[in-house]
Amino acid sequence: MKIVPMRDLKDTVKIESMCIGKNEPVFVTKNGYGRLVVMDIEYFESIMRQAYEAKLLNEAIDEYENGKVVDGKIAIEELKNKYGF
């Protein structure tokens, strides 16, 4: 984990090199307090994808635990019967 003061943002090449390929964010502080987070776009997309997948898994687990899941074979048979296949 890298932490840099706000004034270091002027050196964009340095900040970029700190972000690229590191798979971790760079935290930017102002007056000693966290203010911004800078990260490589690929890392950001990876984190967002993981968060989305976790959300979908949690929703699926919730549906399963609350009995909102139908057996696949039964669902297919019901659809076949309904639509005459």
Side-chain angles (χ1 to χ4, degrees):
M1 175 173 68
K2 302 282 185 180
I3 301 173
V4 297
M6 184 78 70
R7 68 179 173 272
D8 284 4
L9 287 180
K10 293 176 185 176
D11 189 353
T12 57
V13 174
K14 176 184 171 188
I15 299 298
E16 180 184 20
S17 68
M18 292 171 72
C19 293
I20 293 178
K22 301 289 188 205
N23 288 333
E24 64 181 22
V26 174
F27 295 90
V28 182
T29 61
K30 183 176 182 180
N31 298 325
Y33 295 96
R35 188 71 182 137
L36 301 171
V37 176
V38 181
M39 65 184 75
D40 180 69
I41 191 74
E42 290 177 8
Y43 178 67
F44 173 76
E45 289 171 345
S46 171
I47 295 297
M48 295 307 294
R49 185 173 39 258
Q50 289 174 20
Y52 179 70
E53 290 169 356
K55 177 182 176 278
L56 292 177
L57 283 172
N58 284 330
E59 289 173 358
I61 290 169
D62 184 56
E63 288 176 1
Y64 177 78
E65 289 176 345
N66 290 309
K68 297 180 182 178
V69 178
V70 178
D71 182 84
K73 290 180 181 179
I74 294 171
I76 290 171
E77 286 302 315
E78 289 176 356
L79 289 170
K80 285 180 179 179
N81 293 335
K82 182 176 179 178
Y83 295 104
F85 288 103

